[in-house]
Amino acid sequence: MKKSKIQGELWGKSPNGWAEVQERLHKPLWDAMLNETNVGVKTTFLDVGCGSGGSSILAKERGAEVYGIDVAEGLLSFAIQRVPDGIFQVADIENLPYEDDKFDVVFASNSLQYSENRIAALHELKRVCKPNGRIIAGLFGKPEKVDYRVVFKAVRETMPEPPKGGGPFELSMPGKLESLFAESGLNNIKSGEVNCPFEYNNFETFWYGNVSAGPFQGMLAMVSENELKSAVREAVTSFLLEDGRIYIPQNIFKYVSANI
């Protein structure tokens, strides 16, 4: 089965927690990426992997003409509700359903790393971007700058066998994403970083938001929810505040932009 199909099924299994809790915690990243690409009035904006529409809302508020794609129909249903005059559809980053040179800004927050062929995906982003338009991608920064890494570690140690692939930080190392941009023929490559603190009212809210993510849903096919939940609860103990809130203060995300 194609990777995009698998991801669509995983992220679409339990979309509510992601839509209601976890996705919005990436707002500092979206704001930084929108600022970097000068999204504003009449910008034709493509949100690639738009999820439940958080970044699309911000682009619309700036006056952009918003389009969005995602492989998870369940998440996309939220985006359609949240940006009623946006144009959304289920589609794969490696096969975008648009003509050449359509968008001023092609925006991929936390989506490029899930593609099966990153170079093919970047070529698609490049194809649909107008001459002198901007392409930007964002994802986790280096693991030592991401406090949330303790959750990934707990999940990995709960798995019955080592996970396949490069893991959540595969494209986070210095120069890695930039080199993919360059290999794809993109120019004027720039990089930036921004912090996205993660805060939750209590552990149950934390669990509700996080277990809805595709990687967690994939894990539940291998281990019981109680086992996974227990491991993750232990991992975030050091971030538990006296009032019961969970506050994970440092999660540095990186973003890389370029034009064609």
Side-chain angles (χ1 to χ4, degrees):
M1 184 184 295
K2 188 172 172 58
K3 187 174 182 179
S4 61
K5 177 73 171 176
I6 295 171
Q7 291 296 330
E9 291 181 356
L10 291 175
W11 285 92
K13 275 189 175 182
S14 180
N16 293 55
W18 186 263
E20 296 167 12
V21 175
Q22 191 65 20
E23 188 179 86
R24 61 179 173 80
L25 300 178
H26 298 88
K27 184 177 183 296
L29 173 63
W30 301 333
D31 282 332
M33 292 170 66
L34 292 167
N35 290 339
E36 178 63 31
T37 51
N38 298 313
V39 172
V41 176
K42 295 186 178 179
T43 300
T44 51
F45 175 86
L46 175 60
D47 197 348
V48 179
C50 63
S52 67
S55 47
S56 291
I57 292 170
L58 298 181
K60 185 63 183 178
E61 289 174 348
R62 293 175 180 230
E65 180 184 348
V66 174
Y67 294 73
I69 66 107
D70 203 280
V71 293
E73 189 172 357
L75 282 174
L76 204 62
S77 65
F78 285 91
I80 292 169
Q81 294 175 33
R82 290 170 172 174
V83 188
D85 55 354
I87 302 171
F88 298 97
Q89 58 186 304
V90 175
D92 181 357
I93 189 174
E94 294 177 40
N95 187 25
L96 298 173
Y98 307 108
E99 65 268 26
D100 297 355
D101 306 333
K102 181 174 179 63
F103 300 101
D104 297 308
V105 173
V106 181
F107 181 102
S109 173
N110 291 308
S111 56
L112 181 64
Q113 66 268 41
Y114 293 106
S115 60
E116 191 160 7
N117 184 326
R118 281 72 180 266
I119 296 297
L122 283 168
H123 278 304
E124 271 294 270
L125 304 190
K126 180 181 175 183
R127 180 185 65 78
V128 301
C129 189
K130 293 179 181 178
N132 299 315
R134 300 289 291 173
I135 294 170
I136 191 164
L139 39 70
F140 273 119
K142 294 191 296 184
E144 58 266 31
K145 292 185 176 183
V146 177
D147 291 340
Y148 187 85
R149 70 183 182 277
V150 300
V151 176
F152 290 132
K153 182 175 184 291
V155 170
R156 184 175 64 250
E157 291 176 349
T158 307
M159 295 181 72
E161 58 183 51
K164 297 177 181 179
F169 298 108
E170 181 184 0
L171 301 184
S172 304
M173 295 301 103
K176 178 66 174 179
L177 185 54
E178 292 87 344
S179 67
L180 290 177
F181 269 53
E183 187 178 345
S184 301
L186 297 167
N187 301 307
N188 191 27
I189 298 169
K190 299 179 181 178
S191 304
E193 291 185 338
V194 64
N195 186 33
C196 293
F198 290 174
E199 183 174 0
Y200 310 86
N201 290 335
N202 48 52
F203 178 76
E204 289 305 320
T205 302
F206 167 89
W207 180 250
Y208 176 62
N210 282 272
V211 75
S212 66
F216 275 79
Q217 289 296 310
M219 275 291 296
L220 293 179
M222 295 180 280
V223 300
S224 72
E225 182 168 350
N226 285 339
E227 182 181 358
L228 185 59
K229 188 175 183 179
S230 177
V232 171
R233 186 192 296 272
E234 178 66 26
V236 299
T237 298
S238 61
F239 301 109
L240 182 64
L241 305 182
E242 291 184 359
D243 61 3
R245 286 181 297 131
I246 292 175
Y247 182 62
I248 306 176
Q250 178 177 269
N251 296 299
I252 300 298
F253 282 76
K254 69 178 294 182
Y255 52 92
V256 175
S257 66
N259 59 12
I260 55 178

